[in-house]
Amino acid sequence: MTASDDLPVRDELRGQSPYGAPQLDVPVRLNTNENPYPLPEELVARIAERVTEAARGLNRYPDRDAVELRTRLAAYLTRTGGHPVNTDGVWAANGSNEVLQQLLQAFGGPGRTALGFEPSYSMHALIARGTGTGWLSGPREEDFTIDVEAARRAIARHRPHVVFVCSPNNPTGTAVAGETVAALYDAAQKAARGRGALVVVDEAYGEFSHRPSLLPLLAGRPNLAVSRTMSKAFGAAGLRLGYLAADPAVVDAVQLVRLPYHLSAVTQATALAALEHTDTLLGYVEELKAERDRIVRELRAAGCEVTDSDANFVQFGRFTGEGGAHAVWQALLEHGVLVRDNGVPGWLRVTAGTPEENDAFLDAVRAVMKEKKP
């Protein structure tokens, strides 16, 4: 039987595995940072109306530039992000991963490098590899924060073409201060070759943070882009809609590499319907923030070490006994609860679910801590 490595694939793809989390049939699944609340019925009905309207024109290509959707996204960011955003400074694609891919296609690529501060969202490195961009791992402190001086030195040494900052960071949940991002931006421009370096702030979990959005940093920084998603706060992981805010010139550059008509009419219609119900959906976000904070308190009371979180998930540990974190992961699974082992030594990550799901998770943790004393 032929394997992919038997084919003439690119050398850097040989022996690699695709991204993915285990999808197991267990009572409580808290491993992929999904919003646990289904869309409200009134929104489901509005989606049906908008999709029905769009279906009548499916014989034609959709709006190639998604102008109406980008206009509504700009209005949402202006209202919630503390910074005025115009339509020409917003771009949308099939999930924030496609947004990041398009940025690397435009600003990375063969002969260029991207730098991120690991542990962080593993897709940054995977998308870099997929676009032929060299990947560099920058330093983090023991508490998973970014040491500005160490980061500056790494940027000066490697002179990357693209720098990734994830805030709140996945999988640790830590948010990054605006002053830190501004310092890294300045360092990247100083070290850059030619016309500067692109700095990408990944705010996929931005709505869950106690800190304000980093969108105001866009002012006066043409090489900065802030990416977002509707998968988390909007509870629409199945929609696959991501977007970015940046200088209009960045949006123009991204359009050089985007596929024609990349956002279907159905996707645009569904996203527009969701944006009509922003206040309701953000109400669920407040509930999840309260549950996240409860998880942090209860895990610490159970004897776990917990990283401060500004996301809809919590990193907990440190498990150094026999089998380490993966043994605890397996024990929780045996109690019917699936969490995420991201490969960070000694640590696991759990998504904030419904109160009932969180109760089940916390009960399982207490039982495992008693059984295994990890």
Side-chain angles (χ1 to χ4, degrees):
M1 185 175 183
T2 302
S4 61
D5 283 354
D6 298 323
L7 302 175
V9 298
R10 288 164 30 203
D11 289 342
E12 64 268 29
L13 299 180
R14 295 185 181 279
Q16 300 294 329
S17 300
Y19 175 87
Q23 293 180 305
L24 306 177
D25 186 14
V26 297
V28 180
R29 291 190 298 177
L30 300 173
N31 67 323
T32 53
N33 297 343
E34 296 163 319
N35 190 315
Y37 295 107
L39 298 180
E41 286 302 317
E42 59 270 23
L43 173 52
V44 173
R46 182 59 179 141
I47 290 173
E49 292 174 357
R50 276 198 171 267
V51 169
T52 297
E53 182 180 350
R56 295 191 176 98
L58 286 181
N59 58 309
R60 303 292 186 185
Y61 287 113
D63 176 8
R64 179 182 58 200
D65 298 326
V67 173
E68 182 183 2
L69 175 58
R70 289 164 59 203
T71 299
R72 297 290 183 87
L73 287 168
Y76 167 71
L77 290 175
T78 298
R79 182 166 73 89
T80 63
H83 178 73
V85 179
N86 296 321
T87 302
D88 61 357
V90 172
W91 184 245
N94 293 286
S96 61
N97 286 330
E98 186 177 59
V99 169
L100 301 177
Q101 181 183 60
Q102 291 171 343
L103 287 170
L104 284 174
Q105 287 175 319
F107 296 94
R112 295 191 170 203
T113 57
L115 183 147
F117 301 94
E118 296 181 308
S120 191
Y121 183 37
S122 60
M123 280 303 299
H124 294 162
L126 291 175
I127 295 172
R129 185 177 68 208
T131 59
T133 308
W135 178 255
L136 305 164
S137 181
R140 282 189 184 270
E141 293 278 46
E142 182 69 16
D143 64 356
F144 302 107
T145 58
I146 296 175
D147 181 321
V148 175
E149 291 307 316
R152 281 178 172 147
R153 290 193 296 270
I155 290 171
R157 181 170 64 253
H158 296 297
R159 302 176 69 193
H161 298 82
V162 181
V163 175
F164 283 99
V165 181
C166 193
S167 183
N169 186 49
N170 179 12
T172 65
T174 47
V176 182
E179 296 82 0
T180 297
V181 175
L184 298 185
Y185 181 91
D186 291 343
Q189 307 319 307
K190 181 179 179 180
R193 306 163 174 85
R195 296 180 176 86
L198 185 73
V199 176
V200 181
V201 176
D202 187 336
E203 275 196 340
Y205 302 93
E207 286 94 341
F208 296 96
S209 179
H210 293 302
R211 293 178 180 265
S213 170
L214 297 173
L215 282 168
L217 292 178
L218 292 174
R221 294 181 176 88
N223 290 339
L224 181 67
V226 178
S227 71
R228 289 284 196 93
T229 181
M230 296 184 78
S231 295
K232 311 303 180 182
F234 281 79
L239 171 60
R240 310 309 305 131
L241 196 290
Y243 55 102
L244 68 78
D247 188 279
V250 173
V251 176
D252 291 343
V254 165
Q255 293 192 61
L256 296 174
V257 299
R258 63 104 169 93
L259 295 175
Y261 313 107
H262 68 296
L263 275 182
S264 75
V266 171
T267 296
Q268 294 184 46
T270 304
L272 285 165
L275 285 164
E276 294 176 12
H277 290 73
T278 298
D279 291 340
T280 299
L281 296 173
L282 292 183
Y284 294 151
V285 168
E286 293 304 312
E287 294 181 25
L288 287 171
K289 287 165 65 175
E291 282 297 301
R292 171 203 64 203
D293 293 344
R294 179 171 76 94
I295 291 172
V296 170
R297 291 193 303 271
E298 294 291 337
L299 283 174
R300 286 173 174 163
C304 295
E305 187 174 341
V306 181
T307 308
D308 290 337
S309 177
D310 272 81
N312 71 331
F313 56 84
V314 175
Q315 179 179 258
F316 65 105
R318 301 185 182 188
F319 304 117
T320 58
E322 184 178 354
H326 191 74
V328 178
W329 178 88
Q330 182 64 50
L332 291 173
L333 184 63
E334 291 168 2
H335 283 269
V337 178
L338 177 62
V339 299
R340 187 71 178 268
D341 182 355
N342 283 290
V344 181
W347 297 88
L348 298 172
R349 190 196 70 194
V350 62
T351 306
T354 64
E356 295 76 18
E357 290 172 332
N358 298 333
D359 287 343
F361 160 70
L362 291 168
D363 287 344
V365 168
R366 295 183 191 104
V368 170
M369 295 290 283
K370 184 178 180 180
E371 295 164 1
K372 299 183 72 66
K373 295 182 172 55

